[in-house]
């Protein structure tokens, strides 16, 4: 769908080749589904593929010569895949073998998606509810029900609806990509559409066109509106040293923000309200983390609407080296704020 929007095939191949040099090529052709034209893209593997574990894939991405934001997003997608597979198969995350997912084709899909969003300068992704098929699919683990266990694990907390289609409409790779990219799921936001791209699936479906449609445009207002989850609990009987560790793990689980709020509880005991902001797709992991890592015996959560200024992460070259910035679209104009971690790194290096 992104290639249909104009992302150059040669540019994609050249950049993805920095991770898996000479291992693939993209074959792109115009195709139709129920009279709608789009781009059918296939990854042609040029040499024998191999199963890779998460540790190997992470090393490949970290060491490649790609923009930092592309690497960060690719690592986020693969991390979600590894956590889902580890949960299903009961093994360590670092040692998860992906089989098909660890092949060159999936590496191309994931890194290619991150590169395409960078080329299109997309600041925010919102997705519709996800339709799921039924039946069975054959993979490296044998015959599995549709949707596959990894797909459902990755889509926990995401709005879904079932169909009567006997086909795998969402693969684990697709589930990992959309759940990592989308800031929300539901109705299309108010926006002015500039262009539309269609990605054509390989299977002919009977009751609908097998297409992925991406609409790119600009929001009508400077303020972005979306919905997030707020997860909370009150704690008055836990060693305070644990809170620092808990915050680290919550951010690893996908928290957007974490706050400790002083409160007075029953019997006038001083306590802490744990408040976590997260996307819907991360809510269940956040809840499980709080209940497994703290003395809390329950949590409460609810959806909340919010308005925010548009922003994107960029990398700029300075006299002190590369620095990531938050480029914010404020009412008074564009505002650039340097990332604290990069400033800290430079301060240490220049002592």
């Amino acid at each position: 769908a992104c290639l249909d929007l104009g992302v150059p095939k040669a540019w994609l191949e050249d950049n993805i080749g920095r991770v898996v040099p000479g291992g693939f090529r993209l074959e792109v052709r115009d195709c139709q589904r129920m009279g709608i034209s789009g781009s059918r893209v296939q990854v042609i593997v040029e040499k024998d593929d191999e199963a890779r574990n998460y540790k190997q894939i992470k090393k490949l991405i970290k060491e490649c010569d790609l923009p930092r934001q592309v690497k960060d997003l690719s690592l986020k997608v693969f991390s979600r895949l590894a956590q889902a597979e580890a949960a299903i198969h009961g093994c360590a995350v670092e040692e998860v073998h992906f089989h098909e997912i660890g092949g060159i084709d999936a590496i191309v899909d994931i890194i290619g998606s991150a590169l395409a969003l960078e080329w299109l300068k997309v600041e925010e992704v919102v997705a519709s509810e996800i339709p799921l098929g039924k039946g069975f699919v054959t993979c490296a683990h044998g015959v599995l029900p549709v949707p596959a266990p990894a797909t459902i694990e990755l889509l926990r907390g995401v709005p879904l609806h079932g169909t009567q289609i006997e086909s795998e409409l969402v693969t684990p790779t697709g589930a990992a990509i959309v759940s990592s990219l989308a800031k929300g799921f539901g109705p299309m936001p108010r926006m002015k559409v500039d262009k539309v791209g269609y990605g054509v699936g390989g299977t002919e479906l009977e009751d609908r066109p097998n297409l992925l449609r991406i609409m790119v445009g600009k929001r009508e207002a400077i303020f972005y509106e979306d919905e997030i989850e707020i997860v909370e609990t009150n704690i008055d009987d836990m060693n305070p040293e644990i809170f620092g560790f808990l915050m680290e793990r919550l951010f690893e689980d996908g928290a957007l923000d974490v706050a400790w709020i002083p409160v007075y509880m029953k019997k006038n005991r001083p306590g802490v309200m744990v408040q976590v902001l997260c996307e819907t797709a991360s809510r269940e992991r956040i809840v499980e983390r709080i209940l497994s890592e703290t003395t809390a015996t329950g949590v409460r959560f609810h959806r909340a609407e919010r308005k925010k200024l548009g922003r994107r992460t960029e990398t700029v070259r300075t006299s002190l080296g590369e620095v990531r910035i938050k480029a914010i679209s404020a009412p008074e104009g564009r505002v650039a704020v340097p990332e604290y971690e990069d400033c800290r790194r430079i301060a240490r290096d220049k002592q």
Side-chain angles (χ1 to χ4, degrees):
C2 289
L3 283 161
D4 203 48
L5 284 166
V7 176
K9 179 174 82 77
W11 179 83
L12 266 185
E13 288 177 325
D14 177 62
N15 280 277
I16 300 171
R18 301 178 187 182
V19 184
V20 281
F24 75 100
R25 62 183 172 84
L26 296 178
E27 187 176 275
V28 184
R29 58 189 175 89
D30 293 334
C31 198
Q32 284 194 350
R33 291 288 181 265
M34 296 188 177
I36 302 175
S37 298
S39 295
R40 170 82 176 129
V41 181
Q42 290 179 282
V43 180
I44 309 301
V45 177
E46 300 283 7
K47 62 182 180 181
D48 290 340
D49 205 359
E50 60 179 296
R52 295 177 174 86
N53 61 29
Y54 173 56
K55 185 177 181 180
Q56 292 170 316
I57 292 172
K58 188 164 63 171
K59 185 173 185 290
L60 278 175
I61 296 173
K62 284 186 173 181
E63 294 180 354
C64 72
D65 181 23
L66 287 176
R68 185 179 299 183
Q69 51 267 35
V70 171
K71 293 200 287 187
D72 288 347
L73 182 53
S74 301
L75 288 168
K76 178 182 178 181
V77 177
F78 267 113
S79 174
R80 286 183 55 75
L81 273 170
Q83 290 176 33
E85 292 284 344
I88 292 166
H89 301 299
C91 61
V93 172
E94 293 288 325
E95 300 304 321
V96 166
H97 278 79
F98 289 112
H99 303 290
E100 295 96 335
I101 296 173
I104 290 178
D105 56 343
I107 292 176
V108 172
D109 288 341
I110 291 169
I111 297 177
S113 297
L115 282 163
L117 292 181
E118 183 71 14
W119 191 88
L120 292 167
K121 300 189 184 305
V122 172
E123 296 181 358
E124 181 184 16
V125 175
V126 177
S128 64
E129 291 186 353
I130 306 298
L132 299 177
K134 66 175 187 176
F136 295 88
V137 64
T138 302
C139 69
H141 295 291
V143 178
L144 299 177
V146 172
T151 299
I152 284 295
E153 182 69 22
L154 287 158
L155 295 178
R156 289 171 62 184
V158 173
L160 311 171
H161 67 267
T163 70
Q164 294 302 310
I165 297 174
E166 297 262 356
S167 182
E168 187 179 29
L169 301 183
V170 184
T171 65
T173 304
I177 291 172
V178 72
S179 61
S180 298
L181 297 182
K183 299 297 184 184
F185 295 84
M188 179 178 169
R190 291 178 60 87
M191 61 183 288
K192 293 181 178 178
V193 176
D194 294 330
K195 48 189 176 181
V196 182
Y198 292 92
V200 180
T203 305
E204 290 273 10
L205 304 178
E206 291 184 1
D207 70 340
R208 67 189 67 190
N210 187 5
L211 301 166
L212 172 67
R213 177 166 61 183
I214 297 180
M215 292 174 277
V216 178
K218 296 180 176 63
R219 287 186 178 267
E220 290 189 335
I222 191 170
F223 297 110
Y224 289 5
E225 297 182 7
D226 66 357
E227 291 188 347
I228 56 169
E229 299 277 349
I230 299 179
V231 182
E232 296 177 337
T233 191
N234 295 348
I235 299 174
D236 65 356
D237 59 347
M238 190 173 81
N239 183 341
E241 293 176 335
I242 298 174
F243 282 104
F245 173 76
L246 175 62
M247 180 177 286
E248 293 175 5
R249 300 309 301 271
L250 289 170
F251 279 119
E252 291 172 7
D253 291 332
L256 301 173
D257 203 358
V258 180
W260 312 140
I261 304 171
V263 294
Y264 281 91
M265 299 171 62
K266 61 185 178 183
K267 299 181 182 179
N268 209 31
R269 293 175 182 166
V272 175
M273 178 193 292
V274 175
Q275 185 182 80
V276 183
L277 308 186
C278 66
E279 296 165 7
T280 301
S282 303
R283 187 190 69 197
E284 291 305 312
R285 293 196 304 277
I286 298 294
V287 170
E288 289 177 5
R289 180 68 63 191
I290 292 173
L291 293 178
S292 63
E293 300 281 4
T294 75
T295 57
T297 57
V299 298
R300 54 191 178 271
F301 52 84
H302 60 275
R303 295 186 65 77
E305 296 180 346
R306 66 174 180 173
K307 290 187 177 182
K308 59 181 182 177
L309 296 173
R311 72 176 188 180
R312 60 181 276 115
T313 301
E314 299 176 1
T315 301
V316 298
R317 294 186 178 276
T318 74
S319 59
L320 299 174
E322 288 191 347
V323 177
R324 288 175 300 170
I325 62 168
K326 286 190 282 283
I328 302 170
S329 300
E332 66 272 19
R334 188 172 184 269
V335 177
V337 180
E339 289 284 359
Y340 166 75
E341 295 294 339
D342 286 11
C343 293
R344 184 178 69 171
R345 170 180 53 79
I346 290 172
R348 287 183 176 276
D349 292 345
K350 300 298 180 181
Q351 280 184 341

